[in-house]
Amino acid sequence: MTRIQHVMYIDLSDVLRPPGIDILLVLVAALGAILVSIQPVTDPVLASMLALEPTLVALAIFLALRGAAGVTWLVQSGIMHVYLSYPMSRALIALVLIVSRVIIPSSLILGVPLVVVLILLGPTLIGGVERVAVTYLSYIYQAALYGSLFLLVALRVKSQATSGLLSVAIYFTYTAMSTILGSIGRSIGSDSLKMLGDAMHLPNVIYAVYVGSDYDFKQLLLVPLLATLAVIAVIYYMVRRFETL
């Protein structure tokens, strides 16, 4: 087993240990089934969004309290010090943390409700599998933005309680800003504010693309750009500023 695989194994074991992701997966799967059953739809994008949208809220809280905040346990237990003693660059360790604490949990949790929708509305999803895949990817990008920001907070404050609270606050502040900017833009007739508010939630833009609503190509780039900057910030902080003590 290589050093990278060893670090990934230890970190994933911490993130995915019960009773965390297993219970959450069951809950989001049940929620997806309920929503699709209550509102049967024929559009594959809308069907997937009905299941994925509430799942993203649960996922954000999971990433804040279990994914990112768990980094402080690595620091306090001395495991992070062991990581840093390996013949691996800090940038590579940061990437491993991002993959194990953000990308993999996001892929698993967001994938469960899609499986439920596939079971309940198989022909609907199969008929638009490419659009469903793009919608799923947009939620992954959204989750990657949240999770990377949470991870940066955890590395900075090194306190589970504080990082968890700050991360949840960041999530709700971000979503509130998206709603507020969009609402203000519509009320005062400002296309720029409306577009900015909508672009802060990538799945909204993807839905607009597929239903033929007005959108600007730059809206598709905002969340991926912010997620990339957040990942770079995590790597930079790990390389330049992070200390275990």
Side-chain angles (χ1 to χ4, degrees):
M1 182 180 289
T2 66
R3 294 299 187 188
I4 297 176
Q5 291 173 327
H6 183 65
V7 172
M8 181 72 74
Y9 174 79
I10 295 175
D11 211 48
L12 276 176
S13 298
D14 175 53
V15 178
L16 304 182
R17 73 180 187 276
I21 197 170
D22 47 354
I23 294 177
L24 188 59
L25 289 177
V26 172
L27 291 176
V28 299
L31 181 58
I34 292 171
L35 289 175
V36 173
S37 300
I38 293 175
Q39 304 181 58
V41 292
T42 57
D43 180 71
V45 176
L46 182 58
S48 56
M49 288 186 69
L50 280 173
L52 290 174
E53 194 61 37
T55 305
L56 182 62
V57 179
L59 172 60
I61 295 174
F62 177 88
L63 293 177
L65 301 181
R66 186 65 177 272
V71 171
T72 61
W73 175 80
L74 297 180
V75 176
Q76 295 166 357
S77 64
I79 293 178
M80 182 64 77
H81 183 74
V82 175
Y83 286 176
L84 296 176
S85 69
Y86 286 168
M88 298 168 55
S89 68
R90 287 191 168 210
L92 188 55
I93 292 175
L95 285 175
V96 169
L97 292 175
I98 291 169
V99 171
S100 62
R101 294 187 173 270
V102 179
I103 304 302
I104 291 179
S106 298
S107 301
L108 290 174
I109 294 175
L110 290 172
V112 169
L114 285 185
V115 173
V116 174
V117 176
L118 181 62
I119 294 173
L120 297 177
L121 296 173
T124 298
L125 259 65
I126 293 174
V129 64
E130 292 182 359
R131 286 179 287 171
V132 172
V134 172
T135 303
Y136 171 76
L137 184 61
S138 71
Y139 278 95
I140 294 293
Y141 268 114
Q142 198 74 38
L145 170 59
Y146 298 149
S148 298
L149 289 175
F150 302 161
L151 187 56
L152 182 62
V153 170
L155 291 172
R156 176 65 181 86
V157 301
K158 301 185 184 71
S159 167
Q160 279 190 302
T162 303
S163 66
L165 290 174
L166 285 176
S167 296
V168 171
I170 288 172
Y171 166 71
F172 284 110
T173 300
Y174 181 92
T175 54
M177 285 180 59
S178 174
T179 303
I180 291 171
L181 288 174
S183 299
I184 293 176
R186 292 180 182 88
S187 63
I188 67 175
S190 173
D191 290 337
S192 297
L193 285 179
K194 175 183 175 299
M195 289 172 56
L196 178 60
D198 292 342
M200 291 176 68
H201 191 63
L202 183 58
N204 285 345
V205 186
I206 297 299
Y207 183 71
V209 172
Y210 284 126
V211 299
S213 299
D214 292 336
Y215 75 97
D216 190 301
F217 179 76
K218 290 180 290 188
Q219 289 179 288
L220 293 169
L221 303 178
L222 180 62
V223 169
L225 177 61
L226 292 177
T228 301
L229 291 176
V231 168
I232 292 173
V234 171
I235 296 173
Y236 176 84
Y237 188 83
M238 174 67 79
V239 172
R240 297 290 185 179
R241 305 291 298 275
F242 179 76
E243 297 295 339
T244 56
L245 298 178

